Amino acid sequence: MRLTSLVVRPASAGERHCYGAAMLIGAHVRAGKGLVPALQHGADIGADAVQIFTQSPRMWKPSQYSDEVLAGYRAAQAEHPSVVATFCHATYLINLASPDPELAAKSQACLTANLSTADGMGSDGLVLHIGSHRGSGFETALPAVAQALVTALDEVDADIESCPILLENAAGAGDTVGRSFEELAQVIDAAGGDERLGVCLDTQHLWASGIPFGTVEEADALIELIERTVGMARLRCMHLNDSKVDFGANKDRHENIGDGTIGADGLAALLGHPALQGIPAILEVPGEGDGPRTEDVTTARGVLEAGLALRA
Ligand SMILES: [Zn+2]
Ligand SMILES: [Zn+2]
């Protein structure tokens, strides 16, 4: 297989961090007992990467972490070499596209706080749902969205090595921004193409927004679409989820891998795509209600292997 030759090609916007020859299988882990126990849980279930909410995802109140706690996380990651990457997920309440000035200001402050924590942890990226324009229109919302991203990046750290913001493709509900790669590309362009702006590709959101990827041909077409729009160099991580809802249903509802409407076979062709090897794919599946388990990580690895075999 010619995997590595395809993943290390020069990036058009900054060098993409390549984590290895094959896709990494990661897991979203809960930080209720603290950041380091969350990382430890990820290591315990065999995840190659973790994703963490650093504050309650449905509350504005920021969690304040001391420099010692953040340094402690970086040290813990060094002590858990099986977990090679940490992603943070921004609070769900953030809406950078809001036409309401008060909500827009709260969103800006919250994004900057989330990014600062992620940067302090040495995180590989802060995944963000851009939000909803609530009917004001994508074009109307675009300048404010772009400005909010630039402000957060500049306020946290002007260093290009600092934590990137990864814009997640939306499932397409309501007036969400980022329901297509064309929209994500427009947002990145409007923000001046900053190298610290990347993209996170969620398989359930793709499915729900009506973008097919179940066959090798469809998966190839999707990767070509991403290359043509945001550019593959910006794709820094994936969210690997099956779906509780049908193709095109525009709802964000995750299911365990193989138990949903996409199915294991429906995910394999995409996971096996050569251009996605080396990218961390984070499970955000329910498990038995407490999030990804060891068996979910194992199942995902099996689907990845099936996908690689399709192209062998
Ligand atoms: Zn996601
Ligand atoms: Zn989702």
Side-chain angles (χ1 to χ4, degrees):
M1 275 183 283
R2 302 171 295 110
L3 297 180
T4 43
S5 63
L6 281 155
V7 295
V8 294
R9 87 198 130 132
S12 55
E15 273 308 308
R16 187 173 87 203
H17 191 140
C18 183
Y19 298 92
M23 179 180 281
L24 305 186
I25 302 299
H28 184 88
V29 287
R30 297 189 176 179
K33 297 195 182 89
L35 300 177
V36 171
L39 171 71
Q40 178 67 52
H41 178 67
D44 289 347
I45 63 171
D48 300 323
V50 293
Q51 176 178 274
I52 298 174
F53 283 121
T54 57
Q55 70 177 74
S56 167
R58 298 183 201 282
M59 286 170 64
W60 287 110
K61 190 173 143 3
S63 296
Q64 303 288 356
Y65 295 100
S66 66
D67 288 348
E68 282 93 346
V69 169
L70 297 174
Y73 187 86
R74 297 196 301 272
Q77 175 130 35
E79 287 161 15
H80 291 86
S82 65
V83 180
V84 301
T86 292
F87 294 89
C88 296
H89 199 302
T91 308
Y92 288 138
L93 297 177
I94 292 174
N95 183 1
L96 301 187
S98 176
D100 172 355
E102 196 184 321
L103 188 57
K106 275 172 120 168
S107 296
Q108 173 77 74
C110 192
L111 174 62
T112 302
N114 281 187
L115 185 62
S116 176
T117 299
D119 193 51
M121 289 167 65
S123 170
D124 296 68
L126 175 72
V127 178
L128 173 71
H129 298 179
I130 297 170
S132 163
H133 59 68
R134 307 252 186 253
S136 71
F138 173 77
E139 298 290 340
T140 306
L142 184 58
V145 169
Q147 186 55 53
L149 294 168
V150 170
T151 300
L153 288 167
D154 287 349
E155 280 183 359
V156 170
D157 192 343
D159 181 350
I160 67 156
E161 294 296 306
S162 63
C163 181
I165 297 175
L166 308 181
L167 308 174
E168 182 166 2
N169 65 306
D175 299 310
T176 45
V177 173
R179 53 173 69 196
S180 70
F181 292 98
E182 288 84 351
E183 276 191 9
L184 291 174
Q186 278 182 273
V187 169
I188 292 169
D189 277 357
D194 195 295
E195 297 194 1
R196 296 161 295 173
L197 291 174
V199 168
C200 168
L201 171 67
D202 187 309
T203 55
Q204 193 275 330
H205 301 180
L206 264 183
W207 176 257
S209 62
I211 301 176
F213 53 85
T215 66
V216 166
E217 292 72 26
E218 286 167 346
D220 288 354
L222 169 62
I223 298 301
E224 280 163 27
L225 169 69
I226 296 172
E227 177 62 24
R228 259 199 328 274
T229 50
V230 296
M232 281 297 288
R234 299 225 187 237
L235 183 62
R236 309 287 172 81
C237 83
M238 291 176 63
H239 284 168
L240 175 52
N241 301 309
D242 208 326
S243 178
K244 281 193 199 297
V245 297
D246 288 337
F247 182 75
N250 291 131
K251 286 201 178 87
D252 184 349
R253 300 278 186 281
H254 303 182
E255 181 54 283
N256 294 328
I257 303 299
D259 292 347
T261 52
I262 308 176
D265 289 348
L267 286 161
L270 183 63
L271 298 200
H273 196 288
L276 298 180
Q277 304 317 308
I279 291 187
I282 311 283
L283 292 162
E284 295 176 313
V285 298
E288 283 171 319
D290 270 334
R293 305 155 294 179
T294 305
E295 64 193 84
D296 299 306
V297 173
T298 306
T299 300
R301 288 216 173 91
V303 177
L304 169 59
E305 272 169 36
L308 291 169
L310 287 175
R311 294 171 185 266

